[in-house]
Amino acid sequence: MQKENNVYQTCKFFKENLPVEHVGVALVLGSGLGDFIQSLNPMLELPYSQIPHFPQSTIKGHQGVFYLCQLEQVNLAILSGRVHLYEGYSPFEVAFATRVLGVLGVKNIILTNAAGALNPQFDVGSLMLITDHINMTGNNPLTGPNVDEWGPRFPDMSQVYSPELQQLALDTAKKLQIRLEKGVYLCIPGPSLETPAETRAFRFLGADAIGMSTVMEAIVAKHMGMRILGLSCLTNKNLPDCMAETSHEEILSQAKKANSILSTLLLDLIPRINSN
Ligand code: HPA
């Protein structure tokens, strides 16, 4: 009940403060991927600390600001920075912003992240379109009483990532000559990175990339019937037989490099989403 009230209070705050009636697309920018905003001219900029009940990011590389922008005809909400399970937030809190956007009636959400490549054919610096996910966190944001107005008790997960949005992303990447891999994203709770034995096991399970975010938000978005597009920036490569050391600094620095290609893709893609 308290959780539900918090969501409705935050929705009320947005209804009172957003200068537009309708938001067509929401975009969550992951670790080190905040540069996209620089190419836009936001109508509204709200630090998460000014938004009721919004959890605050505790880590480097996550800005913690909500923006509202107009990209051609599309009103775009951008969440620059997110919170994670490893920060100590509950699955509900991790997906809180997604829930609020869904209750506000946003129909399309783009989830971006920095991820490690597990597929040996993928290169560091490339983008990966998420076709499906594996939830290895042992957590689920829908645990507890179901709020029927938000979605069903047992939501279908046979197609989490929208086939239409995937096709649109692939067509846009092709047009722009951007390399866009396709694959399965596996989410671990973190914050420790994976061992060589875990890397081998996850690859064996069918994962192409690994990270510590996105899946809680995707489950909530799917619960609400939103169309989801998932994009990973591959910041490092994990090969179990020649495991290289990975640091958070390195992940952030690679994500910074991938920013411009991600921005190019998103700038072309987003205006075409709403009318789809
Ligand atoms: N493992 C887990 N999370 C990550 C990685 C990784 O290799 N790279 C970026 N986020």
Side-chain angles (χ1 to χ4, degrees):
M1 197 55 189
Q2 185 56 50
K3 286 178 174 179
E4 220 175 310
N5 285 340
N6 288 354
V7 168
Y8 289 125
Q9 277 169 15
T10 310
C11 286
K12 183 166 177 281
F13 170 86
F14 276 117
K15 280 185 195 146
E16 288 165 0
N17 287 278
L18 288 183
V20 296
E21 284 282 307
H22 175 74
V23 173
V25 180
L27 167 68
V28 180
L29 293 172
S31 302
L33 299 173
D35 287 5
F36 179 65
I37 322 288
Q38 284 165 12
S39 42
L40 302 167
N41 192 8
M43 291 181 250
L44 177 73
E45 187 173 333
L46 282 172
Y48 293 170
S49 57
Q50 290 177 16
I51 306 174
H53 310 300
F54 248 49
Q56 307 291 304
S57 174
T58 62
I59 51 156
K60 224 172 118 183
H62 281 263
Q63 203 190 7
V65 182
F66 175 96
Y67 297 92
L68 187 76
C69 309
Q70 196 166 20
L71 206 52
E72 297 181 25
Q73 301 310 310
V74 178
N75 291 325
L76 170 70
I78 302 181
L79 294 155
S80 182
R82 56 154 66 90
V83 299
H84 303 81
L85 293 171
Y86 63 74
E87 293 174 81
Y89 286 110
S90 69
F92 176 83
E93 289 169 316
V94 168
F96 183 82
T98 306
R99 182 63 84 192
V100 167
L101 292 166
V103 173
L104 284 171
V106 180
K107 293 275 177 281
N108 301 286
I109 189 161
I110 305 175
L111 301 170
T112 70
N113 59 48
L118 298 182
N119 186 323
Q121 295 188 322
F122 292 176
D123 291 332
V124 169
S126 306
L127 299 179
M128 187 188 88
L129 174 72
I130 303 177
T131 56
D132 202 352
H133 72 227
I134 300 174
N135 180 7
M136 286 293 281
T137 66
N139 278 293
N140 194 301
L142 308 181
T143 302
N146 187 55
V147 180
D148 295 337
E149 300 98 87
W150 293 351
R153 173 72 292 188
F154 300 107
D156 173 63
M157 291 283 145
S158 63
Q159 185 77 75
V160 177
Y161 300 89
S162 156
E164 299 90 42
L165 295 186
Q166 286 187 53
Q167 195 54 53
L168 193 61
L170 289 167
D171 293 345
T172 309
K174 193 171 174 192
K175 182 182 91 178
L176 300 173
Q177 296 186 312
I178 290 172
R179 184 161 177 177
L180 182 58
E181 308 289 1
K182 290 198 282 183
V184 173
Y185 175 86
L186 181 143
C187 180
I188 52 169
S192 51
L193 293 150
E194 48 293 347
T195 64
E198 287 164 343
T199 302
R200 190 176 292 106
F202 294 152
R203 181 73 188 129
F204 204 67
L205 286 178
D208 296 291
I210 181 166
M212 304 172 189
S213 70
T214 303
V215 167
M216 298 299 119
E217 291 135 299
I219 292 171
V220 162
K222 181 70 184 164
H223 184 231
M224 308 200 92
M226 296 166 89
R227 293 202 299 176
I228 308 164
L229 178 70
L231 292 168
S232 292
C233 286
L234 304 175
T235 53
N236 54 292
K237 192 162 170 170
N238 302 341
L239 300 175
D241 296 318
C242 52
M243 205 78 177
E245 249 185 62
T246 307
S247 68
H248 186 59
E249 283 64 35
E250 192 190 321
I251 290 171
L252 285 184
S253 106
Q254 280 298 339
K256 280 246 155 286
K257 287 188 201 160
N259 252 307
S260 75
I261 140 172
L262 180 70
S263 299
T264 308
L265 182 70
L266 292 173
L267 279 173
D268 203 282
L269 179 74
I270 291 169
R272 298 204 278 139
I273 286 185
N274 223 9
S275 55
N276 223 288

